[in-house]
Amino acid sequence: MAAPTLVSIETIRILLLEDNPADADLCIRKLKSAGLPVDVDVARVSQEIMERVGSRIYDVILSDYHLRDWSGLDAFKWFRSSGYNKPLILVTETLGDELAIECIKAGVNDYVLKENLERLPVAVRRALDEERLREERDRAEKVLRESEKQYRLLFDANPQPMWVFDLETLRFITVNNAAVQHYGYSQKEFLSMTLRQVQLEEEFECLLTAVDPRRDRGESYAELWKHRKKDGTVIDVKVSSQPIILGTVKAQLVLAHDVTAQRRAEADVRASKDQLQLLLDSTAEAIY
């Protein structure tokens, strides 16, 4: 198994919680002999630990389990309760399986026995790499949350009805305010419904074919459907749809543009043209 790569830091700032000067010196020498560019501050009691943390930022904490007025687990819990989330590695005498498990469950990154300090540089490297990955993940999640927030604002502010539905169950996952106002259903009602409640029954089989998740469209598309509003009104809707993934759910983002008035106007124009043509055809005079 390859050794973890060291995160790119010019100097690794370490706070070492150790009340035995000889043990502290040995830890520092082991780290430096392994080629780690460390800058180590040593703290012996809880008050000194708090002062150190308050005056400087560290990359990793190394702590003996048996301190003068704290245990290593006490120190770890204090760090976390204070919002200090840097990696903590216990460097201690025999810890015992139950206590070791308790510490790891609490969130301690690792523990190294003093009789096996050769492993300390490896544990530090691994903790720093894990911390780097955690910070990168946190940044990515923050960017994603901001992006989702912006898209949510655009979704909610769109004047046309929009919704997202599950391709497997056809259940509405979310709808915007325009959908609520235009169709007459509340948000709560929409989220308890499927497409079947708004689609005309005679078109439902065609709809099932159109939204079959096994069809790999891979792109947006538009189709014309008839929808029924809560009050029973049937409307003509031009549906523009885009496949998306929500977590592990295959879903569809839909914009539903009501074209009822437009189609009625087009029908009226066609009827007027037909009447005019009938008039022209029925007269013996030359008219153009």
Side-chain angles (χ1 to χ4, degrees), residues 34 97 147 160 169:
D97 291 342
S147 177
Q160 298 293 340
T169 65

Side-chain angles (χ1 to χ4, degrees), residues 97-115:
D97 291 342
E98 290 186 6
L99 189 53
I101 291 172
E102 180 184 355
C103 291
I104 296 300
K105 282 185 175 180
V108 172
N109 294 75
D110 203 349
Y111 71 94
V112 175
L113 298 180
K114 289 183 177 179
E115 64 186 33

Side-chain angles (χ1 to χ4, degrees), residues 3 29 41-42 49 51 54 76 112 114 138 161 199 215 222 228 260 274-275:
R29 282 191 286 113
D41 290 333
V42 180
I49 293 169
E51 291 172 358
F76 174 79
V112 175
K114 289 183 177 179
D138 289 347
Q199 197 81 24
R215 294 180 65 188
R228 192 185 304 278
T260 307
D274 290 344
Q275 290 176 358

